[in-house]
Amino acid sequence: MNGNKRRRVEVNKNQFRPGYIEKVKVSNFTTYSEGEFNLSPSLNMIIGPNGTGKSTLVAAICLGLGGKIDLIKRKNMKSMIKTGQTRSIIEIWIKNYDNEPSIIIKREFTDKESRWSINNRPANESKIKEIRKKFNIQLDNLCHFLPQERVAEFAGLSPEKLLLETERTLGDGHLLESHQDLIRMDNESQTISSNIEDIEIRLNQLLEEKSKLEEEAKRFEEYEKKLKQIDLHNKLIPYAQLLDLKKQKEQLQRDTRAAKDALNKFSASIEPAINQVQQFWEHVEQCVKVSKQFQDEEIEVKSRIDNAKSDLNKIKDNIDSLKGSIITWRKRSSESKIQLDKLRKDKLLLEEALNDIEDIDDNLFQEIRKTLQNKNEDKNNIVSTIEQLESESKPIARNIDQLERKKVEIQNRLKGSDKLALLEHSETKNTQRDVAYNSHVRLRMTSELKNHYFECPIVSCTVTDVDFAKVLEKVVDNNSLFSITTTNNEDFNLIRKFAEEIKINFPIRLTDVKNIPQPAINVEQIKAFGFDGYLSDFVEGPKEVLSMLYDTSKIYNIPVSKQPFTTSQIDKLIKNGSGYIPFMKFIAGNIMYNINRSRYGSKQIFYTTEQIDDARYFNSKGLSEETRIRYNNQLQEVNNQIKQERIKLSNFQNSITTAKEERRAIQHEMEKLVNKSDSIKALKKKKTALETKLSNKKEDIAKTIRISKRDYSEKIDKALQEVNAKYLESSQQMIKISNYIQELTNLTIETNMKKFAVIEAKNKHTKAQSMLQDLESEKERLQEEYHILKEEYSKIKKGDAAKKIEEQSRSYTQEERADLAELAQMYKDNEELTERIIREKISILEDEKSVMATADQSSIETLRRKLKEIETAGRELPRLKTAKERLDERIKTIQDSWESELQALVNQISLSFNKRFTKVASDGQVELAKSERFKDWKLQILVKFREESDLKILDHQSQSGGERAVSTIFFIMSLQGLTDAPFRVVDEINQGMDPKNEKMAHRYFVHTACQNQNSQYFLVTPKLLTGLYYHPDMVVHCIYTGPLIEAPEESTLSTGFMDFTKIY
């Protein structure tokens, strides 16, 4: 990708303040291969067409300073790396405090990791955050950093959130800290108040309940005595366990001694087998050692054979080389004379050809080049004119295409019978109808959703008898009339996701087509009552949509009649004596009857009636007359617009045709000059080539003469002698190889014999080893049995049961010890002090306790719990009241200071906002809306764009996108001077502004940014109106990147065009 950024403004480095960004450099970042932004300390205005990389600077500042990827609404870091690359780099130069060098932050990242450095020293993201905090750089504050992707988010800030963001912006942020402290303490105070109220209510309830439960006190004492007996027996269990363990210990001691004796006897019996296995293994090792010696000797002999073969091959190569040299020398003498004659003839031909070429005039060539350059400049100027005209005419042509398509669409609607026209907007406002129309249009435009849904009943269904059209609209609710129908969960979720994507909240229904309900009474029977049939009998449409209407409105079970019913007919339906009501709803004439049954007393049956209004949708099968008139008016308006646009386009096309004819004439002249220039170049090239060939021929002749004078007979004789000597050496080498092979054969036989001996020894050892393993397994079993018994004995021996009993008894009172001693002695005297007997006794006591408390146990437990709650509430209530008083005092102290300072700053912001904003609108204020709860305090931007309207809070509903953009930029600038932010970023906030407001907002923005040196500003915009205000201290960065932009020619880079050019 190519791109250019040129600049011709010098920047005074001394104007940069701490925290200002001096320079940003990127590599392989989004659309940039390389890019460098040298910035102004005041206002940096970044302009360029859409998609050229303007917002790349904003993204680089955010990510280069450690901002989260969410701040620029991107999915992941991989999306920020240039296509085809795996790594990207961002470098940012930040002005430091006086007498300190600038801080250079570098972030090199892939899709998975980032590496940071500060002034070429490795760092981490925490260090970058410390730098941001040092200079009060708040990337997550929309008042400081407003990228393109979050402009709508700022306009959508709630007044509560706007107040918090503004407080964070003002000064050093202490107002936000105070506000957050007040919110936290206010929440705590509310919680404490709620707790106090709950405790007071609960305490009164407990005191009332206590008096009712005191009657159970006596029985409670008896219950406590039984609990004490159970407790004493539970405390006696450890003593019983200790006696049981002593008996178990004695038995384990006897079993352990027996197991140890058996193990010692077995270990002594397998000692001879172990010695025999060791002897077998020593024999194996000796055999392996001898076999290894023979193998080493065999390898050594093979190596000598390989070396001898290599020497023999070298001798053969020398013989072949000498033979080749002899042949070459014999041929060279005769060939040299033939070659010399040929070279001399070629030389004469080249000299004749060189003399035939006429002289070339270099001045003529330079004159043609200069003329060609002038013509090229004229051609480029005309091309620029053509491109400008074509660029200006393209929007007109696109507009004509759009108008033609709109014309065809209107004509098709006038001719067609699509019932969707019934939902199209009219003068009568109906939000549900408008939402249904918009959603149907978007669904039809999305081809991949076809066959996944059914259109609403108004569009897809018809009423076969127009008299029942108004009945269907009365029975079916509006949501169902306008709803989309789906038949499975997958389609339902797909359509719901589509609704979220297009941000239209239209109704969706899910129905089960498999189970079609049937009426309780057949048609013939209801006709006997005077009905014409069921409402479903007169409705046609897709079975899926009808099924949805069956589910939601039960039209299959609602009988209808065109004629009104008499009182006797109605009584026949609801007063038949049996109490059975065949229909809970029916229609007769223009009345809908709803049958009800009273829930009380005699459950009397009664009915209510509703008047049925005229139909609005189902009484027509096509366009209404109102819609048809509106379409004809639209068609006439579109035809007029097409006619006017075609006149404009024709004027542009005439100008383009004239310019293209001029370009063709210049192109024709340039082609003649190029042909003449090419002819001169060809002659110069031909002459140079001939001169080079002639020089080479002369050198070849001299070289050939020298070669022809040489005598090779002496060299040939010497080479023949060397060949004979090499043949003799080859014979001796072959004899040596033969001897080596015989020696290798003998060694191979001996080696194989030793290998057989090793295999035999290993087999003996393996058999002995297998037998020994069986013996070892038996030994391990005995050892395991011994160790298990030993561990169990050791566990009991080292057990801390006695220690636990001693520690437990320390917490007993003297009375409890005496009771335990008495109880233990009783069981000892009867020889019953065992854990089993004690637990059986506890079970008996528990049963006795349950019998005692069968009727009143819950009351006893409740009384105990109530008394404890009363005690707790008595302690907690004074503590909470004291805590609330202290907290309220702290809140008042903080609020007095915070509220006065905040109100003063809001007044100052409001004055600044009103002063400038009234130049583009009628009125504007910034208001602090107070509330009882600190979390509900708000900062409201009130604006009025027309004199006849009232001041309204800035939001999505009350103002247009352009009005919100104007209000936002004036609010942000009204904070100037009240914040310590080193820089502010505003990306494409002018989208949706009309030219007049944009110019005024731009003038105010530029004037504020350049006059007030408290912050550095970045303004990104894709468009640039004429007649804008510019300040001498601002810098405009023009961004042009993209695959269709050519690299600059050398002629455009000369001094004086611009101070410097950066290509990336």
Side-chain angles (χ1 to χ4, degrees):
M1 180 170 289
N2 298 323
N4 306 322
K5 186 184 78 165
R6 304 187 177 97
R7 171 177 166 171
R8 51 183 178 185
V9 177
E10 291 296 334
V11 175
N12 184 357
K13 296 291 186 180
N14 295 326
Q15 293 180 355
F16 283 92
R17 299 181 62 187
Y20 282 20
I21 299 177
E22 298 175 323
K23 183 166 62 175
V24 177
K25 188 175 181 181
V26 295
S27 176
N28 294 329
F29 188 69
T30 63
T31 59
Y32 288 76
S33 295
E34 297 289 338
E36 184 174 317
F37 297 83
N38 293 277
L39 304 172
S40 165
S42 57
L43 173 60
N44 294 274
M45 186 173 180
I46 296 93
I47 65 170
N50 284 325
T52 58
K54 301 181 302 302
S55 297
T56 298
L57 174 61
V58 178
I61 291 173
C62 177
L63 299 179
L65 293 177
K68 295 182 179 179
I69 192 74
D70 298 342
L71 295 178
I72 55 175
K73 302 298 181 183
R74 296 295 185 92
K75 292 181 179 179
N76 49 50
M77 294 299 290
K78 184 178 181 180
S79 64
M80 307 307 297
I81 301 175
K82 188 175 185 290
T83 303
Q85 303 296 324
T86 59
R87 186 177 299 274
S88 183
I89 299 174
I90 304 172
E91 295 179 86
I92 298 178
W93 280 254
I94 297 179
K95 176 69 175 176
N96 208 339
Y97 290 104
D98 294 340
N99 302 323
E100 294 185 18
S102 297
I103 299 173
I104 304 174
I105 298 174
K106 181 178 180 182
R107 182 177 189 177
E108 184 175 357
F109 63 89
T110 63
D111 57 342
K112 295 182 180 178
E113 62 177 356
S114 293
R115 289 191 296 179
W116 299 86
S117 68
I118 301 175
N119 294 334
N120 296 323
R121 294 183 178 179
N124 53 39
E125 193 170 350
S126 298
K127 296 293 183 182
I128 310 301
K129 291 179 180 178
E130 291 176 5
I131 293 175
R132 290 212 316 260
K133 185 176 181 181
K134 174 181 177 181
F135 295 110
N136 194 30
I137 298 172
Q138 302 178 17
L139 296 176
D140 57 345
N141 190 332
L142 294 178
C143 296
H144 290 188
F145 188 81
L146 189 60
Q148 173 185 350
E149 296 81 3
R150 302 184 72 196
V151 171
E153 183 180 340
F154 183 88
L157 283 177
S158 65
E160 295 86 354
K161 183 65 174 176
L162 180 61
L163 175 59
L164 296 175
E165 291 294 320
T166 304
E167 286 177 315
R168 189 147 63 100
T169 301
L170 297 174
D172 58 1
H174 70 281
L175 286 175
L176 176 62
E177 293 178 3
S178 298
H179 193 178
Q180 290 174 335
D181 287 342
L182 286 170
I183 292 173
R184 177 181 53 77
M185 290 188 289
D186 185 35
N187 290 335
E188 290 179 10
S189 178
Q190 292 292 325
T191 302
I192 293 173
S193 296
S194 177
N195 291 340
I196 290 173
E197 184 178 353
D198 292 343
I199 290 175
E200 288 177 341
I201 293 171
R202 181 60 178 159
L203 188 57
N204 292 331
Q205 292 176 347
L206 289 171
L207 291 173
E208 291 177 4
E209 294 172 358
K210 175 188 172 185
S211 58
K212 298 177 182 179
L213 294 170
E214 285 178 343
E215 297 176 0
E216 304 292 334
K218 293 181 181 179
R219 294 165 64 182
F220 178 70
E221 290 177 1
E222 296 176 2
Y223 183 80
E224 284 291 321
K225 288 180 182 179
K226 187 63 66 176
L227 284 179
K228 183 177 179 181
Q229 289 182 355
I230 294 172
D231 182 56
L232 283 174
H233 279 79
N234 281 323
K235 290 177 180 178
L236 189 61
I237 287 176
Y239 295 96
Q241 289 174 336
L242 182 61
L243 291 178
D244 291 344
L245 284 173
K246 286 181 179 179
K247 296 177 181 178
Q248 187 178 358
K249 176 182 173 184
E250 293 172 356
Q251 182 60 41
L252 282 172
Q253 189 174 18
R254 290 192 293 272
D255 294 342
T256 303
R257 286 176 184 154
K260 185 176 181 181
D261 292 341
L263 178 62
N264 291 335
K265 291 178 182 179
F266 187 82
S267 297
S269 65
I270 66 171
E271 191 65 31
I274 295 173
N275 294 334
Q276 187 177 11
V277 171
Q278 182 63 30
Q279 291 173 2
F280 280 143
W281 179 246
E282 291 173 356
H283 179 62
V284 169
E285 290 179 338
Q286 181 63 31
C287 292
V288 169
K289 183 177 180 182
V290 173
S291 176
K292 182 68 169 58
Q293 291 174 353
F294 279 97
Q295 289 176 1
D296 293 341
E297 291 179 11
E298 185 179 355
I299 291 170
E300 183 182 355
V301 173
K302 286 181 179 178
S303 177
R304 291 202 297 270
I305 291 173
D306 292 339
N307 292 335
K309 287 181 178 178
S310 177
D311 293 341
L312 180 61
N313 289 332
K314 289 178 181 178
I315 293 169
K316 290 181 179 179
D317 291 341
N318 288 335
I319 291 172
D320 292 340
S321 177
L322 289 169
K323 287 180 177 180
S325 297
I326 292 169
I327 293 170
T328 300
W329 289 330
R330 286 175 177 171
K331 288 182 179 179
R332 188 173 295 175
S333 179
S334 60
E335 290 175 352
S336 296
K337 294 178 181 180
I338 298 170
Q339 180 69 16
L340 186 59
D341 292 338
K342 184 178 181 302
L343 289 172
R344 285 171 176 167
K345 290 177 182 179
D346 292 342
K347 176 175 173 276
L348 290 173
L349 292 173
L350 289 171
E351 289 173 345
E352 290 174 0
L354 189 60
N355 291 331
D356 292 340
I357 297 175
E358 57 186 39
D359 294 335
I360 299 169
D361 187 357
D362 289 335
N363 293 330
L364 177 61
F365 180 71
Q366 295 299 328
E367 185 178 346
I368 291 172
R369 285 191 62 186
K370 186 174 181 181
T371 304
L372 196 59
Q373 288 177 351
N374 293 334
K375 293 291 182 182
N376 190 46
E377 289 178 1
D378 294 341
K379 176 190 170 184
N380 289 337
N381 291 333
I382 293 172
V383 169
S384 297
T385 302
I386 293 171
E387 289 175 350
Q388 180 66 24
L389 290 170
E390 289 177 343
S391 176
E392 294 176 4
S393 67
K394 282 180 181 178
I396 299 174
R398 285 196 297 269
N399 194 24
I400 292 173
D401 290 340
Q402 291 173 357
L403 290 170
E404 289 288 357
R405 286 196 296 272
K406 186 175 181 181
K407 176 182 176 181
V408 172
E409 182 182 347
I410 295 172
Q411 290 173 339
N412 290 337
R413 289 181 181 179
L414 283 169
K415 295 176 184 177
S417 59
D418 188 356
K419 292 180 67 178
L420 184 61
L422 294 171
L423 302 179
E424 193 169 5
H425 309 304
S426 66
E427 295 178 359
T428 305
K429 183 174 179 62
N430 187 320
T431 303
Q432 277 188 314
R433 180 199 62 210
D434 295 343
V435 167
Y437 176 77
N438 292 332
S439 61
H440 277 71
V441 171
R442 295 295 295 272
L443 283 166
R444 288 185 178 185
M445 292 169 59
T446 310
S447 58
E448 57 266 26
L449 294 180
K450 187 178 180 182
N451 301 327
H452 289 283
Y453 70 95
F454 296 89
E455 294 182 331
C456 71
I458 293 176
V459 177
S460 61
C461 296
T462 57
V463 178
T464 57
D465 191 330
V466 71
D467 290 334
F468 294 122
K470 58 185 179 182
V471 174
L472 183 62
E473 292 184 23
K474 179 67 176 179
V475 169
V476 180
D477 64 281
N478 278 343
N479 271 340
S480 297
L481 285 176
F482 293 116
S483 68
I484 296 297
T485 299
T486 60
T487 59
N488 56 67
N489 288 323
E490 292 76 10
D491 290 344
F492 179 83
N493 293 328
L494 184 66
I495 301 302
R496 184 173 62 181
K497 183 178 180 182
F498 176 76
E500 293 173 355
E501 291 174 354
I502 64 174
K503 297 181 179 178
I504 299 179
N505 185 20
F506 57 86
I508 310 169
R509 295 285 186 266
L510 177 63
T511 187
D512 184 6
V513 187
K514 297 179 181 178
N515 300 317
I516 303 298
Q518 297 297 324
I521 302 175
N522 62 45
V523 176
E524 296 302 325
Q525 288 177 308
I526 66 169
K527 286 184 177 180
F529 287 108
F531 293 108
D532 296 317
Y534 287 106
L535 180 55
S536 59
D537 298 335
F538 304 99
V539 181
E540 293 181 349
K543 63 179 182 180
E544 292 80 6
V545 180
L546 294 177
S547 176
M548 182 272 290
L549 294 176
Y550 296 163
D551 292 342
T552 58
S553 303
K554 306 295 186 290
I555 64 173
Y556 66 91
N557 205 31
I558 299 177
V560 294
S561 170
K562 294 180 183 179
Q563 302 301 322
F565 275 13
T566 63
T567 304
S568 61
Q569 284 179 297
I570 297 171
D571 290 342
K572 186 178 179 181
L573 287 171
I574 64 176
K575 298 179 180 179
N576 51 25
S578 65
Y580 171 69
I581 304 174
F583 310 109
M584 300 306 293
K585 180 181 294 185
F586 61 87
I587 286 86
N590 292 329
I591 304 296
M592 180 169 72
Y593 295 85
N594 295 299
I595 313 303
N596 297 285
R597 187 192 296 272
S598 173
R599 296 182 180 180
Y600 308 100
S602 60
K603 296 186 179 181
Q604 183 179 1
I605 298 172
F606 63 96
Y607 66 88
T608 59
T609 61
E610 296 181 40
Q611 185 70 30
I612 300 176
D613 299 327
D614 292 336
R616 293 175 293 172
Y617 303 110
F618 287 103
N619 59 346
S620 174
K621 295 186 178 180
L623 299 177
S624 64
E625 187 61 28
E626 176 190 359
T627 304
R628 191 175 298 279
I629 292 171
R630 186 170 70 255
Y631 280 166
N632 284 322
N633 292 337
Q634 290 177 1
L635 185 62
Q636 184 178 355
E637 183 181 351
V638 169
N639 284 328
N640 293 335
Q641 290 177 355
I642 291 173
K643 184 177 179 181
Q644 293 173 4
E645 292 297 308
R646 288 194 185 281
I647 294 171
K648 292 180 185 178
L649 183 61
S650 178
N651 293 335
F652 274 109
Q653 288 174 342
N654 293 334
S655 300
I656 292 170
T657 301
T658 302
K660 286 184 176 179
E661 289 175 356
E662 293 178 7
R663 184 185 64 181
R664 281 195 293 271
I666 293 173
Q667 183 68 31
H668 183 65
E669 294 177 11
M670 288 177 64
E671 288 174 358
K672 290 181 179 180
L673 291 171
V674 169
N675 291 335
K676 192 172 183 180
S677 175
D678 291 344
S679 300
I680 296 172
K681 287 181 182 179
L683 284 173
K684 289 181 70 175
K685 185 176 180 181
K686 183 176 181 182
K687 184 176 180 181
T688 302
L690 288 171
E691 289 174 347
T692 302
K693 287 181 180 180
L694 184 59
S695 175
N696 292 336
K697 288 296 179 184
K698 289 177 179 179
E699 292 178 2
D700 291 343
I701 290 170
K703 183 177 179 181
T704 305
I705 291 172
R706 289 194 301 271
I707 292 172
S708 65
K709 292 180 180 179
R710 295 176 183 173
D711 184 9
Y712 296 102
S713 58
E714 186 175 334
K715 287 185 178 181
I716 291 172
D717 292 339
K718 186 177 180 182
L720 288 172
Q721 292 176 4
E722 290 181 6
V723 169
N724 293 331
K726 290 295 180 181
Y727 274 125
L728 179 59
E729 186 179 353
S730 174
S731 300
Q732 294 173 349
Q733 195 69 22
M734 290 178 69
I735 293 171
K736 186 187 293 185
I737 290 171
S738 178
N739 293 334
Y740 286 157
I741 291 173
Q742 181 61 41
E743 184 180 355
L744 177 62
T745 302
N746 295 334
L747 282 172
T748 301
I749 294 170
E750 289 294 332
T751 301
N752 290 335
M753 294 297 292
K754 297 303 178 184
K755 287 181 179 178
F756 290 141
V758 169
I759 292 171
E760 185 180 2
K762 284 184 177 180
N763 287 337
K764 291 181 180 179
H765 175 265
T766 301
K767 291 179 180 178
Q769 186 71 25
S770 176
M771 180 182 68
L772 183 61
Q773 286 176 351
D774 294 339
L775 295 174
E776 286 291 343
S777 297
E778 178 62 20
K779 180 180 177 181
E780 288 174 1
R781 187 189 65 76
L782 292 172
Q783 286 177 333
E784 183 179 0
E785 182 180 344
Y786 168 70
H787 286 305
I788 290 172
L789 292 170
K790 186 177 180 182
E791 286 176 4
E792 289 181 2
Y793 174 74
S794 177
K795 190 184 295 182
I796 294 173
K797 185 177 180 181
K798 295 178 180 180
D800 55 353
K803 186 177 179 181
K804 286 181 180 178
I805 293 170
E806 183 180 351
E807 290 176 355
Q808 182 178 334
S809 64
R810 289 176 186 171
S811 62
Y812 297 162
T813 62
Q814 190 65 31
E815 182 182 355
E816 288 176 330
R817 290 176 183 171
D819 292 341
L820 276 174
E822 181 181 354
L823 185 62
Q825 189 60 46
M826 180 185 72
Y827 280 105
K828 282 182 180 179
D829 293 343
N830 297 324
E831 294 183 354
E832 293 179 347
L833 187 55
T834 65
E835 182 182 2
R836 180 183 61 79
I837 294 174
I838 299 298
R839 290 193 182 278
E840 289 176 354
K841 181 60 177 178
I842 290 173
S843 178
I844 293 169
L845 291 171
E846 289 284 356
D847 292 340
E848 292 174 354
K849 182 192 74 170
S850 63
V851 171
M852 285 178 60
T854 298
D856 303 312
Q857 183 175 1
S858 60
S859 299
I860 296 170
E861 293 296 330
T862 301
L863 178 60
R864 181 189 297 172
R865 188 172 62 254
K866 301 298 181 186
L867 292 172
K868 189 173 182 180
E869 285 186 35
I870 291 171
E871 181 184 358
T872 303
R875 291 195 308 267
E876 187 68 10
L877 192 59
R879 187 190 67 79
L880 288 176
K881 288 181 178 180
T882 302
K884 186 176 185 308
E885 290 173 359
R886 292 175 181 172
L887 191 59
D888 291 343
E889 289 175 2
R890 288 177 60 196
I891 291 173
K892 187 176 185 309
T893 302
I894 296 174
Q895 181 183 0
D896 292 342
S897 172
W898 167 76
E899 183 177 350
S900 60
E901 183 179 358
L902 178 61
Q903 185 64 64
L905 289 171
V906 171
N907 293 340
Q908 188 174 347
I909 293 169
S910 183
L911 288 173
S912 177
F913 179 74
N914 179 267
K915 181 179 179 182
R916 273 84 176 183
F917 188 73
T918 50
K919 294 180 181 180
V920 299
S922 296
D923 195 8
Q925 297 177 15
V926 180
E927 179 181 85
L928 180 63
K930 303 177 183 179
S931 176
E932 291 184 6
R933 300 295 303 276
F934 292 105
K935 67 181 179 65
D936 297 327
W937 283 47
K938 305 173 182 178
L939 187 65
Q940 299 178 154
I941 302 174
L942 305 172
V943 296
K944 182 171 72 169
F945 285 88
R946 286 162 289 279
E947 286 294 338
E948 64 274 10
S949 63
D950 298 326
L951 278 169
K952 293 183 178 179
I953 297 175
L954 183 67
D955 56 29
H956 283 289
Q957 289 76 34
S958 304
Q959 294 83 23
S960 66
E963 290 171 342
R964 293 198 303 274
V966 170
S967 306
T968 298
I969 196 168
F970 274 86
F971 174 75
I972 290 176
M973 297 310 298
S974 68
L975 301 177
Q976 180 67 30
L978 301 177
T979 175
D980 296 332
F983 64 82
R984 296 184 182 181
V985 177
V986 180
D987 189 357
E988 297 196 17
I989 198 172
N990 56 334
Q991 294 300 302
M993 292 189 192
D994 59 82
K996 179 182 176 182
N997 285 339
E998 185 174 351
K999 286 181 179 181
M1000 296 186 70
H1002 178 268
R1003 180 181 182 87
Y1004 172 50
F1005 189 94
V1006 171
H1007 184 270
T1008 304
C1010 295
Q1011 288 293 329
N1012 221 331
Q1013 296 296 325
N1014 290 330
S1015 293
Q1016 182 185 27
Y1017 282 84
F1018 296 86
L1019 175 62
V1020 181
T1021 177
K1023 59 181 180 177
L1024 194 62
L1025 300 174
T1026 58
L1028 292 177
Y1029 168 74
Y1030 294 96
H1031 193 278
D1033 291 338
M1034 72 182 289
V1035 171
V1036 179
H1037 303 265
C1038 300
I1039 307 298
Y1040 298 95
T1041 65
L1044 302 179
I1045 297 178
E1046 298 178 356
E1049 298 180 3
E1050 292 295 329
S1051 60
T1052 65
L1053 301 180
S1054 59
T1055 305
F1057 178 73
M1058 283 190 176
D1059 292 339
F1060 68 87
T1061 300
K1062 190 72 178 177
I1063 304 172
Y1064 51 92

